[in-house]
């Protein structure tokens, strides 16, 4: 009797994986890697204590490559996780067992640039830094700045924001359209180049923030912005955390079009002084400001902001006048995680974020400071306070007990945010790290609709399984 033909339903997980790799070999060739060092690099992101080796890493160089991989993975029921720069912090890129990591970091092209319309189309693997270098001569730039060397595709997948969101918005506001490969390998395009449309479902917004669970983004149509005529940056320090938060709140409530307003508490500022050499400043609660626009507009923003800060006992503005000084200032802000890690080099730092309406920010941060004191842990606090979002960098022993202490503190912080009509994440996303908070935030009805979408678009659950959606009932209509 002839041997039975192996099918996806009859084969074991390792056999299904080998079937996919065998089918991909003629097309992808040396772009398939099973080298231990490559697998290790793709086993984790940043900041979260979770990792798992993929069985293989496949390097895509085009949308068609991604479609080919997904078509075979769908046929053989093999999990696949998209990978960009690996800078996510909630376990988004950690693969499950017997999975393929699909690396898009070689997809770095600018497909189309329309300077007159202030938009461009890029491949998902390009980083925001590279994009801004490439388009510098046009007088345009892409403003969404999460800090790290993130890829544009990864920023879309996690609905990233960052330091400039208070002025320019998040990825949601700056993505006009997408090319997406669905779980079956079908390629679709969403949105377009126009600034508004009232036709059809908003599929672009559906995929932005979906964390690779509904499809894999391969191209992004981005909104660009003109480089401002004038840029000015400053620091103002405060004896009181309350006064600093109040200043940030009043700046936003007064409608000042400030580009960035960032907070570091005294613990974080002390760490950043040591790590980044900011020796001219004191270890006090500090606000970082950036103002952009015409010279007259910047002058008006500065005068109004200085008056607000002075009214809240600010200790005066220290200016970063030159581009070099501004770069140094913002690099110190972006290096805050590493500065916190340097406080206790052998310890682990767990980065968490949450967000509340701006009017509740002071109540939240002051409550979180009390939680930190009660925990006995060191946990510097910083954030994009202009939009109500902040981060706590929890420093703990690199042990299971220490990790549990950090998670307990994280749960208290998130519970406070949710009780104040906030969200468990303003920009990190859900991944694996925030799953337990989703039902509290969204309710079982909304989650069941999300699961129904997932089941419809990815019926075999091959796309980044175990992320974004906790298991539960599905709404069937």
């Amino acid at each position: 009797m002839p041997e039975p033909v192996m099918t996806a339903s009859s084969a074991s997980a390792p056999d299904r994986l080998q079937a996919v790799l065998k089918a991909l070999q003629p097309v992808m060739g040396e772009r398939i890697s099973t080298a231990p060092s490559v697998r290790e690099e793709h086993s984790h992101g940043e900041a979260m204590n979770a990792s798992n080796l993929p069985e293989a890493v496949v390097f895509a160089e085009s949308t068609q490559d991604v479609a080919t991989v997904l078509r075979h993975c769908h046929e053989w029921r093999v999990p696949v996780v998209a990978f960009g720069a690996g800078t996510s912090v909630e376990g988004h890129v950690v693969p499950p067992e017997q999975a393929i990591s699909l690396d898009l970091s070689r997809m770095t092209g600018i497909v189309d640039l329309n300077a007159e319309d202030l938009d461009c189309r890029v491949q998902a693997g390009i980083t925001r830094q590279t994009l801004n270098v490439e388009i510098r001569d046009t007088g345009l730039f892409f403003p969404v700045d999460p800090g790290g060397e993130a890829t544009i595709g990864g920023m879309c997948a996690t609905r990233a924001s960052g330091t400039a969101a208070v002025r320019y918005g998040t990825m949601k506001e700056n993505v006009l359209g997408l090319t997406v490969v669905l779980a079956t390998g079908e390629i679709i395009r969403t949105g377009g180049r126009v600034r508004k449309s009232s036709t059809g479902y908003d599929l672009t917004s559906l995929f932005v923030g979906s964390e690779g669970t509904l499809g894999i983004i391969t191209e992004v149509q981005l909104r660009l912005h003109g480089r401002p005529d004038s840029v000015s940056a400053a620091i103002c320090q405060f004896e009181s955390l309350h006064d600093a938060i109040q200043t940030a709140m009043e700046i936003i409530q007064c409608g000042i079009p400030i580009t960035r307003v960032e907070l570091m508490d005294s613990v974080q500022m002390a760490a950043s002084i040591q790590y980044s050499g900011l020796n001219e400043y004191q270890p006090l609660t500090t606000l970082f400001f950036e103002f952009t626009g015409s010279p007259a507009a910047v002058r008006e923003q500065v005068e109004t902001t200085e008056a607000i800060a002075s009214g809240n006992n600010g200790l005066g503005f220290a200016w970063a006048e030159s581009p070099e000084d501004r770069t140094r200032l913002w690099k110190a802000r972006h290096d805050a995680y590493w500065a916190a890690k340097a406080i206790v080099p052998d310890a682990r730092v767990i980065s968490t974020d949450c967000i509340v309406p701006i009017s509740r920010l002071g109540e939240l941060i002051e409550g979180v400071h009390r939680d930190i004191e009660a925990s006995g842990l060191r946990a510097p606090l910083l954030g994009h306070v202009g939009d109500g979002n902040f981060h706590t960098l929890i420093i703990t022993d690199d042990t299971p007990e220490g990790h549990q202490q950090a998670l307990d503190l994280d749960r208290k912080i998130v519970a406070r945010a949710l009780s104040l009509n906030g969200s468990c994440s303003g920009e990190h996303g859900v991944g694996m790290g925030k799953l337990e908070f989703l039902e509290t935030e969204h309710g079982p009805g909304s989650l069941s609709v999300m699961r129904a979408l997932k089941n419809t678009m990815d019926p075999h659950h091959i796309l980044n399984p175990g992320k974004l959606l906790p298991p539960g009932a599905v709404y069937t209509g």
Side-chain angles (χ1 to χ4, degrees):
M1 293 181 60
E3 290 189 14
V5 176
M6 185 175 69
T7 65
S9 58
S10 66
S12 66
D15 285 343
R16 295 198 305 271
L17 178 79
Q18 291 307 312
V20 168
L21 295 180
K22 181 179 178 180
L24 291 177
Q25 186 64 43
V27 181
M28 308 300 289
E30 294 182 356
R31 290 183 286 143
I32 301 173
S33 177
T34 56
S37 61
V38 177
R39 294 168 62 208
E40 166 60 28
E41 180 185 350
H42 291 76
S43 69
H44 58 85
E46 289 183 0
M48 187 181 176
N49 190 24
S51 66
N52 189 54
L53 291 175
E55 293 301 317
V57 178
V58 180
F59 292 88
E61 295 179 354
S62 67
T63 296
Q64 192 57 55
D65 283 347
V66 175
T68 299
V69 172
L70 290 191
R71 186 169 65 252
H72 290 297
C73 287
H74 177 77
E75 177 186 355
W76 286 100
R77 319 296 197 258
V78 170
V80 59
V81 179
F83 190 98
T87 55
S88 61
V89 296
E90 296 292 352
H92 301 87
V93 298
V94 177
E97 297 297 324
Q98 298 296 320
I100 287 173
S101 179
L102 181 56
D103 189 310
L104 279 69
S105 64
R106 297 182 184 180
M107 297 177 60
T108 59
I110 297 177
V111 179
D112 195 19
L113 175 61
N114 309 287
E116 300 88 350
D117 294 320
L118 282 76
D119 70 73
C120 69
R121 192 171 193 87
V122 301
Q123 289 184 303
I126 194 171
T127 66
R128 62 178 186 88
Q129 292 95 332
T130 300
L131 173 61
N132 280 327
V133 169
E134 292 290 329
I135 65 174
R136 182 172 48 200
D137 292 344
T138 66
L140 304 175
F141 79 115
F142 180 67
V144 182
D145 176 14
E149 285 277 343
T151 63
I152 296 296
M155 290 167 64
C156 286
T158 57
R159 202 183 298 135
S161 53
T163 59
V166 66
R167 175 70 175 269
Y168 293 104
T170 69
M171 288 301 289
K172 178 184 175 182
E173 290 78 35
N174 286 279
V175 173
L176 298 170
L178 300 167
T179 299
V180 181
V181 183
L182 303 181
T184 59
E186 180 183 357
I187 300 168
I188 66 168
R189 291 186 69 156
T190 74
R193 291 185 53 212
V194 294
R195 294 305 171 102
K196 62 179 182 179
S197 172
S198 58
T199 63
Y201 295 123
D202 187 357
L203 296 181
T204 301
S205 292
L206 176 64
F207 287 105
V208 173
S210 65
E211 301 185 6
T213 62
L214 300 179
I216 294 180
I217 296 166
T218 61
E219 292 182 5
V220 187
Q221 193 82 30
L222 292 172
R223 183 193 302 261
L224 301 177
H225 299 260
R227 290 187 178 274
D229 296 333
S230 182
V231 181
S232 186
I235 271 182
C236 186
Q237 298 200 282
F238 298 81
E239 296 280 359
S240 160
L241 177 66
H242 172 83
D243 288 343
I245 297 168
Q246 188 64 30
T247 299
M249 289 170 54
E250 290 180 15
I251 288 168
I252 303 306
Q253 290 165 347
C254 288
I256 300 171
I258 195 164
T259 302
R260 312 184 205 226
V261 52
E262 297 284 306
L263 173 85
M264 287 188 182
D265 74 354
S266 58
V267 180
Q268 180 62 61
M269 193 62 188
S272 293
I273 290 170
Q274 182 73 23
Y275 184 83
S276 299
L278 301 178
N279 299 315
E280 64 270 40
Y281 303 109
Q282 300 179 63
L284 299 172
T285 298
T286 303
L287 289 178
F288 291 59
F289 301 102
E290 185 172 273
F291 310 91
T292 59
S294 68
V298 168
R299 187 164 55 251
E300 182 180 358
Q301 293 172 42
V302 168
E303 290 172 354
T304 308
T305 301
E306 278 195 294
I308 291 172
S310 178
N312 286 304
N313 305 307
L315 301 179
F317 273 35
W319 293 96
E321 299 287 0
S322 69
E324 294 78 15
D325 287 342
R326 289 197 301 272
T327 298
R328 173 173 170 262
L329 202 64
W330 290 111
K331 186 175 188 310
R333 166 60 187 86
H334 288 320
D335 285 347
Y337 172 84
W338 302 109
K341 191 167 179 60
I343 294 175
V344 185
D346 294 335
R348 182 159 188 85
V349 178
I350 295 178
S351 177
T352 139
D353 85 310
C354 56
I355 186 169
V356 292
I358 189 71
S359 64
R360 313 302 296 272
L361 184 62
E363 183 180 352
L364 175 62
I365 291 181
E366 290 170 4
V368 168
H369 254 234
R370 293 193 296 271
D371 292 336
I372 293 170
E373 290 176 7
S375 74
L377 297 172
R378 300 182 74 172
L381 188 150
L382 67 156
H384 320 309
V385 288
D387 54 17
N389 184 205
F390 78 95
H391 308 272
T392 310
L393 303 178
I394 305 172
I395 303 170
T396 183
D397 293 336
D398 194 6
T399 63
E401 296 78 15
H403 186 66
Q404 187 60 50
Q405 277 187 296
L407 290 181
D408 290 343
L409 176 56
D410 181 29
R411 290 186 179 106
K412 289 181 180 179
I413 292 170
V414 172
R416 279 191 182 276
L418 295 178
S419 72
L420 297 172
N421 303 120
S423 170
C424 67
S425 180
E427 61 182 0
H428 284 182
V430 178
M432 295 159 41
K434 300 282 188 181
L435 280 174
E436 65 184 274
F437 307 117
L438 265 287
E439 184 159 348
T440 301
E441 179 170 336
H442 292 285
S446 292
L447 281 186
S448 69
V449 172
M450 294 182 200
R451 294 186 190 106
L453 279 169
K454 170 70 171 174
N455 286 345
T456 299
M457 299 181 69
D458 181 18
H460 301 315
H461 286 217
I462 65 166
L463 293 176
N464 211 5
K467 319 294 172 53
L468 186 62
L469 284 175
V474 174
Y475 177 75
T476 57

